[in-house]
Amino acid sequence: MANNFKISNAAAKAACDAVVDLIDGGAGAGKIALYDAPQPTDPDTAIGAQTKLAELTFSDPAFGAAADANPGGRATANAISDDTNADATGTAAWFRVTDSDGTAVFDGSVGTASADMVLNTTAIAAGSTVSLTSGTVTQPES
């Protein structure tokens, strides 16, 4: 028999809340950092030669409660503070979200379309301001 695992909408919302609540771990607000390529295999893989281009700070708490994404659960980020002095010049290819202690929660791709994080440009210049106007995390039901 083929795999056909699915979760309920209530479970999807609870799973989404569990993931985004990890960002609030530690004594302060979580972070979201943008890096150049290559993206590591997963968030448990240490960052190597990649250059951190910018780092923004979540509110604390980072997200509100997940709502019905019909289907699934979706949590919307509270305000995210700009990085008003980007760390380096380069092309953003991926991001890592961590709690305030630096423990990785999740990674994703960065692009100008069809990416986990969509920016108006992936070209980051050292000293520039990098902003995110909104963010969501979605947990599908299947």
Side-chain angles (χ1 to χ4, degrees):
M1 176 178 246
N3 294 331
N4 195 24
F5 182 82
K6 298 179 183 193
I7 62 175
S8 70
N9 188 257
K13 291 190 302 185
C16 188
D17 281 335
V19 170
V20 299
D21 286 352
L22 291 172
I23 301 167
D24 298 327
K31 307 284 185 181
I32 183 165
L34 284 66
Y35 294 90
D36 64 3
Q39 182 176 344
T41 305
D42 58 42
D44 295 321
T45 302
I47 296 168
Q50 299 90 339
T51 300
K52 180 169 66 173
L53 304 173
E55 183 175 79
L56 298 91
T57 303
F58 284 103
S59 294
D60 194 5
F63 283 78
D68 187 351
N70 194 27
R74 179 173 299 127
T76 300
N78 293 318
I80 302 169
S81 296
D82 296 347
D83 181 342
T84 58
N85 187 17
D87 298 292
T89 297
T91 302
W94 67 282
F95 68 89
R96 175 164 287 175
V97 170
T98 64
D99 68 13
S100 64
D101 294 334
T103 302
V105 178
F106 57 86
D107 293 349
S109 62
V110 174
T112 56
S114 300
D116 298 311
M117 177 188 291
V118 176
L119 299 175
N120 63 340
T121 180
T122 57
I124 307 293
S128 66
T129 297
V130 178
S131 301
L132 294 176
T133 56
S134 65
T136 61
V137 172
T138 302
Q139 170 64 50
E141 288 182 28
S142 57

